[in-house]
Every structure is written in structure tokens, then in C-alpha cells.
Amino acid sequence: MEYVIVDGRILERATAKVDIEDRGYQFGDGVYEVIRVYNGKMFTGKEHLNRLVESAEKIRMQLPYSPEQLEEKMEELIAKNELETGTVYMQFTRGTSPRNHVFPGADIAPTFVAYTRKVPRPEESMEKGVRAILDEDIRWLRCDIKSLNLLGNLLSKQKAAEAGCFEAILHRGEKVTEGSHSNISIIKDGVILTHPADNFILNGITRQKVLEICRNEQIPLEERAFTLDELSAADEVFSSGTTVEVMPVVEVDGKPVGNGEPGAVTRKLQALFKAEIERRCGKL
Ligand SMILES: Cc1ncc(COP(=O)(O)O)c(C=O)c1O
């Protein structure tokens, strides 16, 4: 039996329903989070739940639960579904009310939905690396909000999938922003470069953890936008995200990155990231 949460209550999936006038369904008017689960424990759960609250505040939505209450609910759902390795997805929309661009009144409560999914660690891809395409970043100017509106991301990811690639690396003109569903970093002469956490990217929790690891390990890094030329001259490229951890990118638009194999710095970051998971969630 699979269980989900709808409006704070755990239900059997088959009985869970959301109204057709839910604003998430009609406008994508809501925010979401995806948290990794290893050995039945959430990895960086607090960081994700704090970002969820921040995303909600940025769209002027008040969540009916504190991050602590949400953490408890997610733990309950993970236990109920006996999830070991996977993800927990949650979203809040601005509730159900007759379709109108103007926000509903304060009497309309947000709709809260959550479910879990079994997702193995993508060990083979992490070992061999993945391929990416380039695509113009056509998204709006508040990519820092983890909003349900993902059409720009979907169009780019679909293009990548049709080219047999894992990711689309997005750029605004000459400047690389991030991936369609991950953050992108490059390594040149031992220095890690990644776009700063501003309105042009989602400040990934994985990105933040990787940067923290770099600071602790004295691996040089620069948070600045890099160009397409810098990307194509990079020694190493990696994508980072909740489900993919630190993923080497070995080819961009049909051109090998470095010698076409995952590089030494990326390998080191993968190992350090795995150690951090094990420190928090137990042996993988
Ligand atoms: C556009 C985008 N950027 C970056 C990320 C990585 O964020 P995180 O590490 O928090 O999963 C994601 C993850 O879903 C994403 O969709």
C-alpha cells in the first residue's frame, strides 16, 4: 500500500484527490521541495524545508506549518511507506477557489500534498559521467523561487532527452546560469566556478553543501557567472542536485569536456559528498 499526504492527513494514494480549481493545477501557483532519503533518513531535510518556507514567502504565501512540523510529517510518511532510498516530494499551492488571477482571501488555506518515491542512487552515471546540451535560458527572472511553474525547465529538459542527454545547460546570452534541473559548475586549473546565488538560479541545497565542502577542504572556488567560452575550455564540468548528488558532465553539445572522462576534482567532490551523506544518514 502506498500512502500520501493531502492537507496534513496521511491517506491511501488511491483515495487522495485534489480539486480541479486548485490554483496549483490552474496557474502553477505554488512552491515545492524534493528531499533525498537514504537509509530511511532525510538528508539536509532542514535546509530544504527552510528553503520551502522562503519560496512561499517570496510568492506571498503563508504556510500553515513550521519547518519542524513539516519535518515530523515527512518522517511519518517515510516510515509509513517504509522508504529506504528515494525522495520525498511536497508542494503547497495557494488553495482552491474560483479561477481568478487575484489571490484568494485569507480564508482560503493552501493545499498541501506530499508523497514518497523509491529512487536509487544513479551510481552508473555518477561513475561514467553524463552528456549535456546547451540551451538558451528562456525562464522568468525569479529562478531563485522553487515554484511549480517549470515550463521553461521542461522545454529544455525535453530537448536534452530527445538528444539522448541527461541535462540542458542553460545560458542567458554568453553567461551560463544553471541546468534545467540542476546547478552547473566548472573547474579550470583547480578552481571551481559556479553562478552566484541570485535571481537567475535556484540556490541548490546540493550546491550549497558542495561549496561548504570546498571551503572546509580549502578547494579554491569562485561564485561568479562563467561564459560559454569558459565552459567549453573547462577541465571539468559537473551538475549537482538532490537526486544526482555530484554528477560529472563529460560531453557538452557533442564536444568532450577535458579528456572526456570524469576529472579528479569532481571525483574528490563525489567522495567527500558521499562521506557527508554517510555522516548524516549512515553507511550507503
Ligand atoms: C532548476 C534547478 N536548479 C538547481 C537544482 C538543484 O537543487 P537541489 O540541490 O536543491 O536539488 C534543481 C533541483 O531540482 C533545479 O530544478
Side-chain angles (χ1 to χ4, degrees), residues 11-283:
L11 303 173
E12 277 176 36
R13 169 141 195 176
T15 64
K17 297 228 166 5
V18 178
D19 198 283
I20 58 164
E21 283 192 306
D22 186 273
R23 292 178 65 91
Y25 184 58
Q26 298 208 328
F27 295 118
D29 183 6
V31 292
Y32 76 105
E33 271 301 327
V34 184
I35 303 177
R36 243 306 180 189
V37 175
Y38 301 105
N39 298 322
K41 294 195 186 78
M42 280 184 279
F43 176 66
T44 58
K46 286 187 175 48
E47 291 87 335
H48 280 276
L49 294 170
N50 288 336
R51 184 173 66 184
L52 181 66
V53 171
E54 279 167 29
S55 289
E57 281 169 358
K58 287 173 177 176
I59 66 161
R60 298 166 60 187
M61 197 169 96
Q62 183 83 38
L63 298 190
Y65 303 103
S66 66
E68 294 72 29
Q69 286 170 319
L70 282 172
E71 191 174 8
E72 245 173 64
K73 285 190 184 296
M74 292 308 120
E75 280 169 356
E76 208 180 320
L77 185 66
I78 289 163
K80 189 95 178 153
N81 283 331
E82 297 175 5
L83 182 69
E84 280 291 310
T85 303
T87 54
V88 51
Y89 175 93
M90 74 215 68
Q91 71 170 44
F92 282 88
T93 75
R94 210 182 303 270
T96 298
S97 67
R99 188 177 185 281
N100 184 343
H101 285 55
V102 178
F103 296 171
D107 54 320
I108 302 297
T111 309
F112 168 38
V113 165
Y115 58 82
T116 63
R117 217 187 236 183
K118 282 187 187 160
V119 186
R121 295 179 71 227
E123 283 174 304
E124 198 184 324
S125 309
M126 288 196 288
E127 182 55 34
K128 289 190 186 149
V130 293
R131 299 189 299 140
I133 58 161
L134 293 173
D135 203 19
E136 184 70 39
D137 192 343
I138 60 159
R139 301 171 304 159
W140 72 330
L141 298 176
R142 291 306 307 273
C143 298
D144 54 310
I145 301 172
K146 202 160 169 71
S147 128
L148 296 177
N149 284 279
L150 289 173
L151 258 182
N153 307 62
L154 305 189
L155 287 169
S156 293
K157 171 71 186 185
Q158 181 62 24
K159 232 189 227 181
E162 285 169 4
C165 291
F166 160 81
E167 183 57 298
I169 299 178
L170 306 178
H171 56 96
R172 291 190 190 260
E174 280 307 301
K175 291 201 170 142
V176 175
T177 51
E178 61 176 338
S180 71
H181 66 302
S182 68
N183 291 113
I184 300 292
S185 305
I186 62 171
I187 298 155
K188 185 67 184 173
D189 299 329
V191 181
I192 298 180
L193 289 176
T194 198
H195 198 286
D198 59 15
N199 60 306
F200 293 114
I201 68 159
L202 181 75
N203 188 7
I205 303 298
T206 320
R207 171 190 181 280
Q208 294 174 46
K209 277 287 138 217
V210 168
L211 295 185
E212 198 180 300
I213 288 171
C214 290
R215 287 186 194 107
N216 291 341
E217 298 288 322
Q218 265 109 55
I219 300 171
L221 75 92
E222 257 183 78
E223 286 182 79
R224 69 159 174 88
F226 52 88
T227 63
L228 286 171
D229 285 346
E230 286 179 296
L231 173 67
S232 80
D235 301 324
E236 302 179 37
V237 176
F238 68 88
S239 139
S240 62
T242 292
T243 51
V244 301
E245 301 175 16
V246 175
M247 181 63 84
V249 176
V250 293
E251 191 186 296
V252 178
D253 257 0
K255 253 191 65 201
V257 174
N259 64 1
E261 305 250 315
V265 180
T266 307
R267 283 271 182 256
K268 183 170 175 188
L269 289 175
Q270 283 182 310
L272 291 165
F273 196 80
K274 185 176 177 201
E276 179 64 15
I277 295 171
E278 293 189 325
R279 194 174 68 76
R280 291 179 182 229
C281 301
K283 189 113 191 76

